[in-house]
Amino acid sequence: MDITQLILDEHAQQRNLFAQIEQIDPKDTAALSSLWKRLRALLDSHAEAEEHFFYPRLMKVGKGGNDADSAAEETEDAIEDHNEIRDTAAAVDKQKVGSKAWFKALGDCNKANGDHMAEEERQGLTDFRQQASLQERHDLGVKFATFEADHLTGVKPVDKDPKKWVKDHAPR
């Protein structure tokens, strides 16, 4: 088990759920609601698990992957992205399921999430694979998977101050 692979696997699940939703007839609000509920729970629990297990450790061992200046920069940007994903997901919830406004809000959430995943895959995950041992990646993978299993129906989405989060989790 490897936390970086678990994160990648969940990214694929998120992409698939967005694609599935986009293929459902707008009149089938029951199906749209069910798939959105699952996707929303996954987005929220995934971000929270990353913030509990992945990013604190990345801040300690990372050096900055690819086009990132540092692990702190990667992390601050990721927390900002998580906030944007939470906010765009909340906007989906404010619209009538299946309406044009709902699909527009869903598209905004998909874009925010897609941009975040691409950057995270290029920077943070690459950085962590290069710096962390296989044993550490396994140990964090177990914690990450356990957290996700314990929060299958999601977590309460709470925006965080990225600068404060990075300061609070900086290596001492």
Side-chain angles (χ1 to χ4, degrees):
M1 186 177 311
D2 177 343
I3 191 170
T4 63
Q5 188 59 52
L6 291 175
I7 290 170
L8 284 171
D9 291 347
E10 287 198 359
H11 287 182
Q13 288 176 40
Q14 292 166 22
R15 287 180 177 107
N16 286 335
L17 283 165
F18 274 113
Q20 289 170 16
I21 290 169
E22 292 165 351
Q23 296 175 60
I24 296 173
D25 186 317
K27 295 180 192 106
D28 193 350
T29 58
L32 291 170
S33 293
S34 291
L35 269 72
W36 171 245
K37 181 178 177 183
R38 173 64 191 122
L39 177 55
R40 176 73 195 266
L42 180 58
L43 292 172
D44 291 337
S45 63
H46 179 85
E48 197 69 25
E50 286 182 347
E51 292 169 7
H52 272 78
F53 304 108
F54 179 71
Y55 282 105
R57 193 62 191 144
L58 177 66
M59 296 254 307
K60 290 186 172 132
V61 302
K63 300 186 184 310
N66 289 316
D67 57 336
D69 293 333
S70 67
E73 185 266 332
E74 291 169 336
T75 301
E76 184 177 323
D77 189 55
I79 303 303
E80 288 173 2
D81 290 350
H82 287 171
N83 288 340
E84 183 180 5
I85 294 163
R86 289 179 189 106
D87 294 347
T88 56
V92 174
D93 291 336
K94 292 178 183 173
Q95 303 301 324
K96 182 180 176 208
V97 176
S99 68
K100 286 184 182 184
W102 188 83
F103 276 102
K104 165 72 169 85
L106 181 77
D108 292 344
C109 185
N110 191 357
K111 181 179 183 330
N113 193 57
D115 291 350
H116 166 69
M117 291 187 300
E119 190 171 53
E120 183 174 73
E121 291 167 8
R122 185 179 69 250
Q123 294 178 350
L125 294 178
T126 298
D127 193 7
F128 201 71
R129 280 190 299 270
Q130 291 173 345
Q131 307 307 324
S133 70
L134 288 174
Q135 185 63 53
E136 180 172 23
R137 288 163 41 194
H138 171 80
D139 293 344
L140 285 175
V142 171
K143 291 176 183 177
F144 186 91
T146 301
F147 181 91
E148 291 274 357
D150 287 342
H151 297 88
L152 190 59
T153 58
V155 298
K156 182 180 181 198
V158 177
D159 281 356
K160 296 163 180 93
D161 179 315
K163 290 188 185 321
K164 182 179 181 326
W165 194 99
V166 167
K167 182 180 175 190
D168 291 347
H169 292 85
R172 302 195 194 287

